[in-house]
Amino acid sequence: MSNLIKHGAIVEDNWTLVRYPAVEEAVQKQAGKVVQFKVTGTEAASPELIAQVQIPAGRAIVPLAVFRARKDDLAARIAAGEIGVWLESFELVEDLVAAVGDINTLPLIAYDFPKFVDGRGFSAAVLLRTRYGYKNELRAIGDVLRDKLYFMQRCGFDAYLIRADRSAEDALASLRDFSEPYQASVAEPQPLWRRHARA
């Protein structure tokens, strides 16, 4: 069974998510504590690691660093709508926009949530939808759990690849946890008091 929720339904995933080869990273400490996240703007991968990434035939979602390094080689597949891009939580949306030009030429942008507590993807989704006018599929990948889906939807995500050890059916129900939000959002630009006329 597929774990992909798109536009409020569980669907088959016809995209291949391309990850970097596994590399053991040194534990980083700051002030004696383990650093949980990479700092925003950090380089995602070395040129050697980027060169090792194999992109399969068909529709593929590639890391931003790979897209930037191999854009010329992938030009025909990009034009055919076969290449999507995913961002690490510490990569900047602005870097993606600079690499692509017209962001709506990408049929899919995915954002990786490495840990449940990393919320940078919410801001990135809002930026992609509002500032940059992205209209195509915006997918959440990584540690995507039921508890976040409703809020991801409000920020502009329309597809969610639920973590493999969780139920997509259970997660799907969370998109209806709240019947009527008060605040404005990407999903509903008008606040409640503007949507309903008083008698």
Side-chain angles (χ1 to χ4, degrees):
M1 181 86 187
S2 175
N3 256 18
L4 177 64
I5 297 173
K6 184 176 176 183
H7 301 296
I10 299 171
V11 298
E12 285 302 315
D13 191 357
N14 56 5
W15 289 85
T16 301
L17 181 62
V18 178
R19 294 268 188 192
Y20 294 111
V23 175
E24 192 169 324
E25 292 187 29
V27 175
Q28 295 181 340
K29 290 189 175 185
Q30 184 175 6
K33 296 183 180 181
V34 174
V35 177
Q36 295 289 326
F37 305 106
K38 289 189 176 179
V39 177
T40 301
T42 303
E43 283 298 319
S46 67
E48 295 80 20
L49 191 61
I50 291 169
Q52 292 177 29
V53 173
Q54 299 295 317
I55 303 173
R59 293 178 163 190
I61 310 168
V62 301
L64 175 59
V66 173
F67 180 85
R68 290 166 67 183
R70 300 189 192 170
K71 187 177 176 186
D72 293 339
D73 299 338
L74 296 170
R77 293 181 66 186
I78 293 167
E82 291 183 357
I83 298 293
V85 176
W86 68 270
L87 284 80
E88 300 258 15
S89 63
F90 52 85
E91 290 179 305
L92 298 171
V93 171
E94 292 80 0
D95 291 342
L96 171 64
V97 172
V100 176
D102 179 9
I103 201 159
N104 283 301
T105 59
L106 293 174
L108 186 152
I109 296 174
Y111 195 90
D112 187 38
F113 287 83
K115 298 179 187 214
F116 180 79
V117 296
D118 191 340
R120 292 178 277 189
F122 294 98
S123 300
V126 170
L127 285 173
L128 284 165
R129 294 291 191 201
T130 58
R131 182 179 296 173
Y132 299 109
Y134 186 64
K135 305 284 186 225
N136 300 326
E137 181 178 336
L138 184 56
R139 183 183 292 192
I141 60 173
D143 197 11
V144 179
L145 303 174
R146 179 191 205 284
D147 298 352
K148 287 184 170 181
L149 257 59
Y150 180 78
F151 303 103
M152 288 177 171
Q153 179 184 43
R154 304 239 326 127
C155 290
F157 286 100
D158 57 4
Y160 321 89
L161 186 58
I162 306 302
R163 203 170 76 187
D165 64 337
R166 301 301 170 125
S167 163
E169 292 86 7
D170 182 45
L172 182 60
S174 73
L175 293 175
R176 296 178 296 279
D177 278 349
F178 303 99
S179 60
E180 194 71 58
Y182 289 128
Q183 304 87 357
S185 70
V186 172
E188 179 52 69
Q190 295 292 321
L192 181 66
W193 62 273
R194 286 201 185 267
R195 294 193 306 266
H196 297 282
R198 294 178 186 231

